[in-house]
Amino acid sequence: MGTLDYLFQGFETALIWYNLIFAFVGVLIGTAVGVLPGIGPMSGVALLIPVTASATGWLPPESAATSAIILLAGVYYGAMYGGSTTSILLNTPGESSSVVTTLDGYQMAKKGRAGSALSIAAIGSFVAGIVTLVALIALAKPLSSVALKFGPAEYFSLMLLGLGAVSGLAGTSVTKALIMTVAGLLLGTIGIDNVSGIARFTFNVPWLYQGIEFLTIAVGLFALGEVFKTILEKDEEEGEIARINNLLPSKAELKESAAPIARGSILGFFVGILPGAGATLASFFSYILEKKISKNPSKFGTGTIAGVAAPESANNAASGGALIPLLTLGIPGSGTTAILMGALMMYNVQPGPLLFEDHPQVAWGLIASMFIGNVMLLILNLPLVKVFAKIIQTPKQFLIPMIIAISIFGVYAVQVSTNDLLLLLGCGILGYFLSKNDYPIAPLVLGLVLGPMVENNLRRALTISNGDFSIFVSRPISLAFLLITLLWLVIPLLMKRRGKEVIINAEG
């Protein structure tokens, strides 16, 4: 069967009535998650895993996996749509990938152009979603075929690239990012070693023998960390929500935003493919690119439509691009895709090169549902934007208990352990102090997910080579990945050092 045949089968799966409901619920919840500051797609997806397990319990295993991943993916890319609403109306990004949108979006809103900004953000997000889907359809099968030729050495080097990429790009300090990456790798070693059967870092505590549950760490650091930040810092200053007048952008605004949307969609997709790069980096890159090529760069930051169109397109394209390494290589490129990977594995569906061969219903059903979900999001976001704007006004005294309750329910439903609830609380406190001191959390989360996979592939490669480490540099693909990882870490340091030398020479 060809790609188009598989795609048509995917649409047959996605258009089943209950999958349409799951897609709609997913994008609706995702939009709400994006609108509410402090939750974010990662926590939203994590908290809904036990809910999907209950909701799909009446379906056969393969159909249950497809329906669950359709809903969870809907939350993921739906949150990218919703994040722009608070950025534009309240100057408060719903999530990190919408930070750049505040620069021009809020300025537009202050000038009475909030409706145009919201509409362009929704249109840009829709176009980016379609561009990403076309690229995903075109690249999925070829990449899977290439990945089938990967051995343990290639996978080890690829995962190092993922860790190196997120360490080199997260936060303002590479050193802090590397510290967090190593911390995540160390957390991943806790428990019984699968090969030797030896307990590692368990300190004779039986609860630790099974290892640290990823969901507990993720929900604690992200969701509860934000809760503690809100409580402890007591930010009483509430921004004034801008009025939404005319929702339809003018012809001039549509014309001005067309090229930034196209550039943002393409750039965001390729940035999203990179392990560890993510939607936040894509939105920043896109904004910088538009400012660089603009004939009048001084207008950026004062309310130009290009400053909204480009980053909003880029962050949506990046979220779709991040699914490519997950589905084709089995490598989560971000914390949210790592949770999606965990959800698939919970349904005995292993992401990676064999996914499209062994579980075509899941893979192509998800791809087709993303097209349907993007159409739903466009229809939802344009007429209902005023309704979503009301969600922003949810008082913190109601919102914080809701987030805490959902966090505790989500973790306890998966683990059924009070020890995990204590760990959840500890991670929440830790998450607050880490973010307060500018320690990026994403490298820790990715280190925790990829750590066991890195270790297993290292062992397998050394078993094949009888302990000869040269296997990692004698295989061309593995060597290429290692060189890219080295460059990814070294180039920012060299550029930073060169920048300092230029400043010193200028002062001298």
Side-chain angles (χ1 to χ4, degrees), residues 173-445:
S173 168
V174 175
T175 305
K176 287 181 177 180
L178 286 171
I179 289 170
M180 296 300 284
T181 304
V182 172
L185 291 171
L186 288 172
L187 285 174
T189 63
I190 294 173
I192 300 291
D193 179 22
N194 292 330
V195 176
S196 65
I198 295 172
R200 301 185 297 187
F201 302 109
T202 56
F203 307 103
N204 294 322
V205 178
W207 166 66
L208 290 175
Y209 289 163
Q210 64 183 344
I212 299 293
E213 175 61 35
F214 169 74
L215 280 182
T216 308
I217 299 289
V219 174
L221 290 175
F222 284 87
L224 283 192
E226 192 66 30
V227 165
F228 281 116
K229 181 180 178 182
T230 305
I231 294 171
L232 294 173
E233 297 189 358
K234 292 183 180 179
D235 185 10
E236 298 295 338
E237 187 179 339
E238 295 288 345
E240 185 179 344
I241 296 178
R243 292 180 63 85
I244 303 171
N245 299 318
N246 184 21
L247 270 173
L248 296 176
S250 65
K251 288 184 178 179
E253 287 172 329
L254 284 170
K255 185 178 179 180
E256 188 183 346
S257 60
I261 286 173
R263 285 190 289 264
S265 299
I266 295 168
L267 176 65
F269 172 75
F270 284 108
V271 172
I273 290 176
L274 297 173
T280 304
L281 189 75
S283 61
F284 272 98
F285 275 3
S286 180
Y287 188 85
I288 292 167
L289 174 65
E290 291 304 317
K291 194 171 181 179
K292 287 282 185 187
I293 65 176
S294 174
K295 293 178 181 177
N296 185 14
S298 60
K299 67 182 180 181
F300 282 82
T302 62
T304 179
I305 197 74
V308 174
E312 278 303 306
S313 303
N315 69 31
N316 278 270
S319 66
L323 290 173
I324 287 186
L326 172 68
L327 297 177
T328 59
L329 303 174
I331 304 295
S334 65
T336 312
T337 51
I339 293 178
L340 289 173
M341 181 176 179
L344 282 168
M345 294 174 73
M346 192 175 80
Y347 287 97
N348 295 318
V349 175
Q350 177 65 53
L354 294 175
L355 176 65
F356 288 84
E357 300 296 329
D358 296 345
H359 304 282
Q361 179 185 337
V362 177
W364 292 105
L366 169 62
I367 291 171
S369 76
M370 288 175 67
F371 176 83
I372 296 167
N374 272 285
V375 174
M376 289 177 175
L377 278 166
L378 186 65
I379 296 169
L380 274 173
N381 274 263
L382 289 177
L384 296 181
V385 68
K386 292 184 180 180
V387 176
F388 288 121
K390 290 290 182 184
I391 297 176
I392 305 169
Q393 297 172 296
T394 305
K396 289 181 180 177
Q397 60 264 36
F398 297 125
L399 184 59
I400 289 173
M402 281 170 56
I403 296 172
I404 293 172
I406 295 170
S407 300
I408 291 172
F409 167 75
V411 168
Y412 192 78
V414 172
Q415 288 298 94
V416 197
S417 168
T418 52
N419 288 316
D420 274 87
L421 295 182
L422 293 173
L423 178 62
L424 176 72
L425 179 63
C427 286
I429 297 170
L430 179 65
Y432 164 69
F433 283 108
L434 288 173
S435 62
K436 187 177 176 66
N437 292 284
D438 197 31
Y439 281 87
I441 297 172
L444 185 147
V445 170

Side-chain angles (χ1 to χ4, degrees), residues 12 19 30 84 107 119 134 162 191 201 216 270 275 313 361 405 449 460:
E12 287 178 11
N19 283 336
S84 62
Q107 295 301 319
S119 296
V134 171
F201 302 109
T216 308
F270 284 108
S313 303
Q361 179 185 337
V449 173
R460 287 171 59 203

